Amino acid sequence: MNELDALVESARAGFAQAATPADLENAKAVYLGKSGRITELMKGMGSLSVDEKKTRGAAINQAKQAIEGALHARRQALADAELEAQLKAEALDVSLPGRQRGQGGLHPVSLTLERIESIFGSMGFDVAEGPEIESDWFNFTALNTPADHPARSMHDTFYVEGGSADAPNLLRTHTSPVQVRHALQHVEQHRALSDTGQAMPEIRVIAPGRTYRVDSDATHSPMFHQCEGLWIGENVSFKDLKFVFTNFCRAFFERDDLVLRFRPSFFPFTEPSAEIDIQFQSGSLAGRWLEVAGSGQVHPNVVRNMGLDPERYIGFAFGMGLDRFTMLRYGVNDLRLFFDGDIRFLTQFR
Ligand code: DAH
C-alpha cells in the first residue's frame, strides 16, 4: 500500500472512531485542517518538476477527495444515529387513550332560565334586568315596605357600602325592585304619549336574576335565583294572571293536566296577594301541592311609585324561584348541588 492509500485508510479509521460530531470535526482537522496532513503534502510539492507536480498533485487530490468522502459518510451516519436515538426516546405510545376535548354545556338553572324566557317571550313578555346591589328604596320602600314594616324581617340580607346611614345599600333580596325600575323607564320612554292623555303601551316583562338572603340549608342558599313578572295596563286583571301562569307552568313542565291553586297570602306590594301552588297528576310528585311563586294585583302605592295613576293603570305581578323550578323539573332534592360545581352532577344536564 502506498503512502497516500495508507493516509486515506488511517483517516477512515479515525473517522470511524469518532463517536460524536465534535470528535469527528477534531479528526477532520488532522487530515484536512490548515496544518493537516493533506495540506502538508501539498506544501511539500514545491521542489518537484512540472511533470512530477502534475502526477503527484493528481494523486494527492484523489486522496483528499477520498478522505472528504469518508468524512461526509461518517457525518451522515452520526446524524442518522442521533435522529434514531431521538425517535426512540420520544416514541409515541399509540395504545394510550387520546386526550379528549371536553364538551361544555349550560348549567341547569341557565337551562331553566332559557325555557322561561322563551315561554314568556311567546306570550309577548320582554326581558328586563336590574342591579344586584340595590338601594333600600327600590328593594323595600318603593314596594310599599317602609322602614318599620315587619315584612322586612323576612328579608335579612347583606349590606354594602353606599346609601345612607339608616338606609344602606344592600344585595337585593328579590327581583321585585326591577318592577319599579323597569316601569319608570317604560313610563319615561312613553312620556310624550301620556302627556297627550293617550294610553301608554302595556308593560309586559319578566326580570330574572340573582338574589340574596342570609339563609343556608338544603333548600336555601345565600345566593339564589328568582324571576319576576309584571303586566300593567288599563284592563289587566287577576284572570289574566291565572291564564298566563297556568299556561306557563303547563308549558314549562310539559304537562297539560297540571293543576294550579291560588292560595290567599300577603305581600306588601300586592293586594290581593296569592301564593301559587302546583300539583302534578302523575309521577313521583303526584298529588302533592308544591309552592312555586308569590303573586298578586300590584298595590296602588306601587303603581304610583312607577309613575302611573293607580286609578287608570292596574295589573299583576309574580315572583318565582328559578332554582325551585329547576329542582322540580329535574327531580333534584338538594339545592346546594347547583352551586358545588361538581362536573359529575352538571354533565347530566348537557
Ligand atoms: N318578592 C317576593 C319574595 O321574594 C315574591 C313575590 C310575591 C313577587 C308576590 C311578586 C309578587 O311579584 O307579586 O318573596
Side-chain angles (χ1 to χ4, degrees), residues 116 119-120 123 125 206 227-229 231 238-253 258-262 275-278 290-295 316-321 325:
I116 289 180
I119 296 169
F120 276 105
M123 293 192 276
F125 281 74
I206 58 168
C227 182
E228 199 75 12
W231 186 350
F238 223 92
K239 171 191 81 202
D240 300 304
L241 166 62
K242 285 185 108 168
F243 179 81
V244 162
F245 213 82
T246 303
N247 277 331
F248 159 68
C249 287
R250 289 184 177 161
F252 182 85
F253 290 108
L258 193 79
V259 178
L260 274 76
R261 175 172 81 176
F262 287 74
E275 214 75 71
I276 306 177
D277 302 335
I278 62 170
L290 308 159
E291 185 183 317
V292 293
S295 67
F316 64 79
F318 56 83
M320 56 183 155
F325 268 80

Side-chain angles (χ1 to χ4, degrees), residues 155 173-174 176 179 213 226 228-229 267 269-270 294-296 317-319:
H155 288 224
T173 60
H174 50 180
S176 303
Q179 285 187 34
R213 284 188 212 172
Q226 281 193 340
E228 199 75 12
F267 298 102
F269 31 90
T270 44
S295 67
F318 56 83

Side-chain angles (χ1 to χ4, degrees), residues 178-197:
V178 189
Q179 285 187 34
V180 181
R181 283 185 176 276
H182 178 78
L184 285 171
Q185 267 179 16
H186 184 92
V187 168
E188 184 56 39
Q189 211 177 338
H190 300 286
R191 182 159 301 286
L193 269 185
S194 61
D195 283 350
T196 65

